[in-house]
């Protein structure tokens, strides 16, 4: 075949399927992997497509047209740097390397600068959708220079998921914007999954529902405003039977949740930018708690494993509305973080575009995202999704149900860290006054940190807080 317009290094599940997706759209591609079996599998599965492989990097590069577009889909971290080091001696000016893995955004900025010094382009692209998305259409979040995005835009649009004939790909902004947006996507994913988990836990332990019965509830909820990929797959997971025992498989799965670090990165970035995302933070904490099996077992022996009452006065309708409110608040936290990064890190990210490309292909796709797209389209500077008129109406309607559910979880001894943090986040933002005045006064007493007053302009310090009559000011 003629020289390929797109190259892929890393022919594991994601890389192979992404390249097959490209080939299926009649775009000539070439792949490379150290593992010959993976190269052979690509050629077998893509035998009717304009695809080829190279047995080594020089042969791989010789099959690409110039300037070359080369995507890496390899594990994040040192392996990315190692592949770049292997590539660069063979590259020419204006060749472009595209990192499609879950790299930390600070690594992406470093790589952009290092390769720019060699006149080699570098882009970080977030890809969500897993194996299925890579093969049949993912949500794609590209960052880097606009010039580099324009160069590969037609390829990314061809292989992206489509919603209403619109491809779920858009330019996220300068530098590491693509990887930052994907990181926050994953942080939101952590929050939503834990909220679902806490709701499931209430239905299981308090309502006494079987996994099959809870599956039916989630299936029904997926026809409401909660319609989303995560609600859909929750119903699927819950109804699966174990072939060995005949029991519901989820009941046989050990309750220890793994993580690959993107949730933690989201929390760290939020702390650095001064943006509160307590529900995402709580989701990371709950995964960490789930992994501390020995301490959990010991605490269970000391305090008892079940402090719960067995009656429950809240309905599944209450739970559905509570879950909807918590979903909205979690999305709001993530979008506020992206909004801050758009300014503070000079990304220039358009939140309406983020909402648009998350509607299909990605793990956190939901019906709420079309309304989010409209909200940010009408008001690009929207400070919080919670104060958009439509979302504010939804929160006014549903937060009483969230309050009711959280009260019930507390009464029954059900851990609801994410549901609780979502409600407290909402309550903090709507409060007329927070207790930060007391905190600032304490800081002034022990550290002379000063304070501002409600009744006059300026900065003040009280030299003797122990004088009760005010003469120490």
């Amino acid at each position: 075949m003629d020289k390929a317009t797109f190259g892929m290094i890393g022919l594991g599940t994601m890389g192979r399927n992404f390249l097959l997706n490209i080939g299926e759209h009649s775009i000539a591609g070439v792949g490379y992997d150290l593992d010959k079996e993976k190269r052979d599998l690509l050629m077998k599965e893509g035998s009717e497509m304009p695809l080829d492989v190279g047995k080594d990097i020089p042969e791989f590069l010789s099959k690409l047209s110039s300037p070359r577009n080369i995507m890496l889909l390899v594990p994040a971290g040192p392996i990315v740097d190692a592949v770049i080091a292997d590539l660069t001696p063979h590259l020419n000016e204006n060749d472009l390397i595209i990192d499609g893995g879950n790299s930390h955004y600070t690594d992406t900025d470093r790589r952009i600068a290092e390769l720019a010094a060699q006149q080699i382009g570098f882009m970080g692209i977030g890809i969500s959708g897993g194996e299925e998305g890579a093969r049949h259409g993912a949500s794609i979040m590209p960052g880097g220079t606009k010039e580099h995005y324009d160069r590969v835009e037609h390829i990314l649009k061809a292989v992206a998921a489509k919603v209403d004939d619109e491809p779920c790909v858009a330019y996220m902004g300068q530098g590491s914007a693509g990887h930052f947006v994907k990181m926050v996507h994953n942080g939101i994913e952590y929050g939503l999954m834990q909220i679902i988990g806490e709701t499931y836990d209430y239905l299981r332990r308090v309502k006494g529902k079987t996994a099959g019965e809870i599956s039916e509830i989630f299936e029904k909820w997926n026809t409401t405003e909660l319609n989303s990929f995560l609600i859909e797959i929750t119903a699927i997971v819950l109804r699966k039977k174990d072939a060995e025992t005949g029991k519901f498989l989820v009941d046989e799965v050990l309750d220890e949740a793994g993580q690959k670090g993107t949730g933690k990165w989201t929390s760290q970035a939020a702390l650095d930018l001064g943006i509160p995302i307590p529900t995402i933070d709580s989701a990371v904490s709950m995964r960490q708690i789930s992994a501390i099996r020995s301490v959990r077992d010991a605490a269970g022996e000391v305090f008892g494993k079940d402090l719960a009452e067995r009656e429950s006065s809240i309905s599944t309708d209450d739970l559905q509305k509570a879950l909807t409110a918590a979903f909205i608040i979690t999305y709001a936290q993530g979008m506020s973080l992206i909004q801050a990064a758009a300014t503070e890190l000079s990304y220039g990210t358009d939140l309406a575009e983020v909402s648009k490309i998350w509607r299909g292909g990605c793990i956190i796709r939901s019906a709420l995202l079309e309304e989010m797209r409209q909200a940010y389209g009408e008001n690009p500077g929207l400070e919080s999704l919670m104060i958009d008129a439509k979302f504010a109406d939804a929160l006014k309607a549903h937060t009483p149900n969230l309050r009711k559910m959280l009260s019930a979880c507390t009464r029954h001894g059900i851990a609801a860290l994410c549901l609780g943090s979502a409600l407290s986040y909402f309550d903090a933002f709507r409060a007329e006054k927070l207790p930060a005045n007391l905190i600032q006064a304490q800081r002034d007493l022990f550290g002379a940190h000063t304070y501002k007053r409600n009744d006059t302009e300026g900065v003040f310090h009280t030299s003797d807080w122990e004088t009760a009559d005010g003469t120490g000011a």
Side-chain angles (χ1 to χ4, degrees):
M1 69 178 195
D2 294 335
K3 287 198 172 186
T5 57
F6 196 86
M8 176 69 70
I9 294 182
L11 299 178
T13 300
M14 286 292 292
R16 185 182 77 257
N17 279 295
F18 197 93
L19 200 55
L20 288 169
N21 191 352
I22 283 174
E24 194 166 59
H25 285 85
S26 301
I27 298 168
V30 59
Y32 171 69
D33 196 288
L34 285 169
D35 188 338
K36 182 179 182 299
E37 289 185 4
K38 291 179 180 177
R39 301 197 302 265
D40 291 344
L41 182 58
L42 173 71
M43 294 309 296
K44 178 182 176 182
E45 294 183 354
S47 59
E48 303 299 319
M49 301 176 188
L51 299 178
D52 199 356
V53 294
K55 67 178 185 297
D56 53 31
I57 284 179
E59 184 179 76
F60 163 77
L61 292 173
S62 72
K63 295 183 177 185
L64 278 165
S65 59
S66 293
R68 294 173 285 206
N69 304 311
I70 306 159
M71 178 178 276
L72 315 183
L73 268 172
V74 298
I79 293 178
V80 175
D81 289 314
V83 174
I84 291 171
D86 288 341
L87 270 176
T88 48
H90 306 282
L91 297 185
N92 300 322
E93 186 174 321
N94 293 325
D95 283 346
L96 174 63
I97 299 174
I98 303 164
D99 179 7
N102 275 333
S103 291
H104 195 282
Y105 71 97
T106 56
D107 287 337
T108 302
D109 283 325
R110 169 179 59 80
R111 290 163 184 151
I112 288 172
E114 289 173 353
L115 288 164
Q118 303 174 59
Q119 278 73 54
I120 297 169
F122 189 84
M123 294 177 68
I125 292 185
I127 301 173
S128 178
E131 176 183 355
E132 179 70 15
R135 182 65 183 87
H136 300 293
S139 177
I140 305 175
M141 297 153 255
T145 68
K146 186 64 165 56
E147 177 187 5
H148 287 146
Y149 171 69
D150 289 344
R151 185 163 132 184
V152 295
E153 179 184 27
H154 68 289
I155 299 173
L156 299 180
K157 284 186 172 181
V159 300
K162 309 294 188 299
V163 174
D164 298 330
D165 293 326
E166 292 182 300
C168 292
V169 58
Y171 178 58
M172 295 289 96
Q174 293 289 328
S176 58
H179 277 148
F180 191 95
V181 171
K182 176 56 164 58
M183 176 191 72
V184 177
H185 164 285
N186 286 19
I188 294 171
E189 178 185 308
Y190 273 56
L192 299 182
M193 290 177 74
Q194 182 61 33
I195 287 165
I196 290 169
E198 291 171 2
T199 306
Y200 152 77
D201 201 23
Y202 187 87
L203 286 164
R204 181 176 62 93
R205 294 173 59 197
V206 178
K207 290 284 194 180
K209 302 285 188 184
T210 67
E213 290 169 335
I214 301 171
S215 172
E216 292 176 3
I217 292 169
F218 274 91
E219 194 167 11
K220 180 181 177 183
W221 286 352
N222 201 42
T223 65
T224 70
E225 58 196 325
L226 270 177
N227 173 257
S228 62
F229 176 72
L230 285 172
I231 296 293
E232 177 188 347
I233 67 166
T234 300
I236 293 170
V237 165
L238 287 168
R239 68 171 173 256
K240 177 68 173 177
K241 292 287 187 73
D242 180 19
E244 294 288 327
T245 65
K247 299 176 182 178
F248 288 105
L249 180 56
V250 71
D251 293 333
E252 305 304 311
V253 175
L254 186 66
D255 61 329
E256 293 182 13
Q259 53 185 318
K260 292 188 175 179
T262 47
K264 179 185 71 174
W265 294 348
T266 308
S267 293
Q268 290 171 333
L271 287 170
D272 290 340
L273 291 170
I275 301 300
I277 56 167
T279 306
I280 295 169
D281 297 338
S282 296
V284 175
S285 293
M286 284 303 296
R287 292 200 187 189
Q288 293 167 338
I289 290 171
S290 79
I292 310 173
R293 169 66 61 181
S294 61
V295 180
R296 290 168 53 203
D297 288 342
E301 291 298 321
V302 173
F303 300 109
K305 295 185 183 296
D306 192 356
L307 305 179
E309 303 171 20
R310 280 300 171 196
E311 58 82 25
S312 176
S313 59
I314 66 173
S315 67
T316 54
D317 185 59
D318 286 322
L319 296 178
Q320 182 255 311
K321 291 175 180 177
L323 195 54
T324 301
F327 262 45
I328 292 169
I329 294 166
T330 304
Y331 277 117
Q333 292 174 29
M335 298 305 273
S336 292
L337 179 54
I338 295 173
Q339 188 81 290
T343 302
E344 296 299 320
L345 302 180
S346 302
Y347 289 152
T349 309
D350 182 340
L351 270 69
E353 291 289 274
V354 174
S355 303
K356 182 188 82 170
I357 68 172
W358 283 355
R359 294 176 306 155
C362 75
I363 305 302
I364 64 170
R365 61 185 183 265
S366 78
L368 293 170
L369 283 157
E370 179 55 38
E371 293 183 10
M372 289 169 59
R373 177 191 185 183
Q374 293 172 16
Y376 287 111
E378 293 167 5
N379 184 2
L382 184 64
E383 291 183 292
S384 172
L385 188 67
M386 295 190 301
I387 60 177
D388 170 76
K390 286 184 180 178
F391 285 103
D393 286 344
L395 289 172
K396 287 175 186 176
H398 297 336
T399 49
N401 305 94
L402 178 56
R403 203 173 302 282
K404 189 175 179 181
M405 180 183 178
L406 187 61
S407 176
C409 285
T410 302
R411 187 169 70 250
H412 293 291
I414 300 295
L417 196 59
C418 278
L419 290 167
S421 66
L423 182 60
S424 290
Y425 178 88
F426 170 77
D427 282 340
F429 271 96
R430 72 180 187 85
E432 182 179 357
K433 192 169 185 178
L434 293 170
N437 56 327
L438 174 60
I439 293 168
Q440 197 59 24
Q442 291 170 326
R443 294 181 74 243
D444 189 62
L445 183 152
F446 65 67
H449 292 294
T450 72
Y451 55 88
K452 296 179 181 179
R453 296 178 62 100
N454 295 318
D455 53 1
T456 185
E457 295 290 327
V459 177
F460 300 87
H461 167 60
T462 294
S463 59
D464 183 7
W465 278 94
E466 295 183 13
T467 304
D469 62 3
T471 58

